[in-house]
Amino acid sequence: MKPQTRTPGHRRLTRAVAALAAGLVGLGLTAAVGAPAQAFDPQHTVMQGSQTTMGQTDGPVWTLEMTGDRIYAGGQFTSTRPSGAAAGTGETGQGFLAAFDEATGAPITEFAPKLTNDYNGRAGVVRASVLTPDGSQLIVGGDFNLVDGKRANYLARFDARTGAFLGQVGNNGVDGPVQALAVSPDGTTLYVGGRFSRAGWSARKNVAAISLVNRATLGWAPTVSTPTRNEALRVTALAVSSDNQRVFLAGPFQQVNGSAAQGFAATDAATGALSAGFRSNYLYAPHSWGTAIEVADNEVFLGSRDDFTSGSRRNEGVYSLDATTGAVNWYANCYGDTFGLQVVGGDVYVASHAHDCAAAGGHPELNPRTYLAIHALNRSTGVVRPYFVQTSGNLDDANTRLLSRALASDGNQLVMGGGFLRVNGAAQANVVRFLAGSSAPEKPAYPTATAGPGYVDLRVRLGYDRDDTQLTYKVYRGWQTSAPIYIETRESVMWRTENVTFRDTQVTPGQQVYYRVEAVDPSGQSVMSVRTATVTVG
């Protein structure tokens, strides 16, 4: 077979396409798992898909906030430890609410509040958090009623810069566990969701609004009712529109104020009445319900889950809605419950256990099933962008197999919390962070060479990248890297094993040769393969 001439500066290399029986090996594409990848959105994400240094916790992280120089994590953990430290090494003993340095990721040991619950003797787990708009205060909610022995009924305030405890929220907090918090953009009102029956001295069922000016319980009091199957009635997510006019709530409910509202509703921020224009059935009855809400400018993003419905009537993806009218901008249908959302620039990062995003341009259902702890969507279109973060845990401990539950960002980095022991194959427990930029290819190509009479066949198993799908492969003969003998750009994804075979005919009988292959991502970062064994041309 005649060699093909490639672009100027490249040497000629034969790509054989006949059958093995004829003695020629073709440009091989073998899919070990599943179908070819979908058409990912080509624009690069803001964040890298490979992690950087970050402290760890010994249990799940349910909520995260980022200030000017701190990362606050709340959850069901009893200690933190440094990045890279094995369990039991360097433990701080700081439980349920902890701070980490935003620059280094190291635990901040001087922040050490003690959260407890003397009503029921249970752990003081933190399940929700929010920063005031000016960034001065951190407000947390959960299962505690004491902070450092001082009364703080399920809600507590801290100085976001120093971490100092500032007391409970409102006149008497609430009388049951808190699972959702939101602050109005003007900083005057805290909206609270969870499972409780009173706020301050007023009856409030599962939702309440508390003044951050005079501590009073306010009049916003929508009524949620009719729980979804096998779920306790509660509110698990809250957000406020950028114009202060609407409060969005989500959870395992089917009615709000006596009207149908499957798992999500938009209400008047003052009265709690349902807002005009918003549908009652963004999510499918009777089992789908909202789990995460994020507001950015005039968009509201809604994530959901459904543990019982099968087929196409299962809502587990993400909606983009007009925050004023309720009109649908797009719906990204990914199967695998959504738990957290974070908008950064043109990206919407989704904390989930997505396993089938084919309908949104992402990876299809595979066998064995492939889960992503974070995937990214194009904010304008909802199409999946290349972003492949994975976690894993201990099969005997359900708290280490939660993948991701919370996201936070300051625009320069993205932090994820959840329940896991490894991130992208490396040891990292329950909290991890990613810096802005592009990661180098994570897995290099792997070449093997086989000599024949007057040629060498080079079989290359392609690599992959955590935040790119289009990788360029440069084939080098020997140690020189100034002039590759072949260049090929291929879609490369971690769940598909792809092998490409090249035939080098620019060799002579008796010549001893070896090869290396460089994988280069669109940003120019690269990783070099190991060299093949030296082979003698027949």
Side-chain angles (χ1 to χ4, degrees), residues 29-38 366 461-464 490-499:
L29 172 63
T30 58
V33 178
Q38 308 301 300
L366 303 168
R461 187 180 68 210
L462 303 186
Y464 61 77
R490 308 281 299 193
E491 183 184 71
S492 304
V493 289
M494 60 191 177
W495 56 81
R496 189 172 74 239
T497 300
E498 186 175 0
N499 295 296

Side-chain angles (χ1 to χ4, degrees), residues 420-458:
F420 46 84
L421 298 179
R422 303 181 72 82
V423 178
N424 295 337
Q428 179 68 32
N430 304 309
V431 61
V432 64
R433 66 188 181 122
F434 307 87
L435 302 181
S438 175
S439 303
E442 182 168 304
K443 184 176 182 179
Y446 184 81
T448 54
T450 305
Y455 66 85
V456 175
D457 282 334
L458 185 69

Side-chain angles (χ1 to χ4, degrees), residues 212-262:
L212 295 177
V213 178
N214 62 14
R215 305 167 66 95
T217 301
L218 302 177
W220 181 80
T223 302
V224 300
S225 58
T226 314
T228 58
R229 178 181 174 185
N230 287 354
E231 292 287 343
L233 185 66
R234 63 196 188 278
V235 170
T236 58
L238 290 165
V240 187
S241 64
S242 301
D243 61 5
N244 265 330
Q245 298 302 303
R246 285 161 299 284
V247 178
F248 306 102
L249 57 150
F253 53 79
Q254 297 187 63
Q255 290 188 328
V256 174
N257 298 339
S259 299
Q262 185 65 38

Side-chain angles (χ1 to χ4, degrees), residues 41-121:
D41 181 281
Q43 186 172 344
H44 198 279
T45 52
V46 175
M47 299 298 166
Q48 301 178 30
S50 299
Q51 63 269 31
T52 189
T53 56
M54 181 66 197
Q56 306 171 81
T57 67
D58 68 350
V61 169
W62 300 124
T63 185
L64 291 163
E65 302 296 335
M66 297 185 69
T67 65
D69 58 2
R70 292 186 175 198
I71 299 166
Y72 287 102
Q76 197 171 335
F77 53 87
T78 60
S79 184
T80 65
R81 62 180 185 269
S83 174
T89 304
E91 300 287 354
T92 66
Q94 178 55 36
F96 311 124
L97 182 63
F100 300 86
D101 186 279
E102 192 169 319
T104 66
I108 298 175
T109 55
E110 59 265 30
F111 179 75
K114 183 179 180 181
L115 283 70
T116 55
N117 191 321
D118 68 351
Y119 290 158
N120 55 28

Side-chain angles (χ1 to χ4, degrees), residues 259-328:
S259 299
Q262 185 65 38
F264 170 78
T267 66
D268 183 277
T271 67
L274 289 172
S275 298
F278 286 82
R279 289 167 25 195
S280 64
N281 62 345
Y282 297 107
L283 307 180
Y284 296 137
H287 304 312
S288 298
W289 53 283
T291 54
I293 308 173
E294 176 83 356
V295 169
D297 301 321
N298 196 44
E299 290 178 275
V300 56
F301 299 90
L302 169 65
S304 59
R305 68 181 296 181
D306 184 335
D307 294 333
F308 298 99
T309 307
S310 60
S312 61
R313 297 231 5 126
R314 187 169 86 250
N315 289 114
E316 294 180 340
V318 177
Y319 271 106
S320 168
L321 307 175
D322 186 291
T324 301
T325 67
V328 176

Side-chain angles (χ1 to χ4, degrees), residues 365-381:
E365 186 74 41
L366 303 168
N367 185 15
R369 180 172 280 182
T370 296
Y371 294 99
L372 296 182
I374 312 178
H375 62 279
L377 305 174
N378 181 315
R379 178 176 171 178
S380 298
T381 66

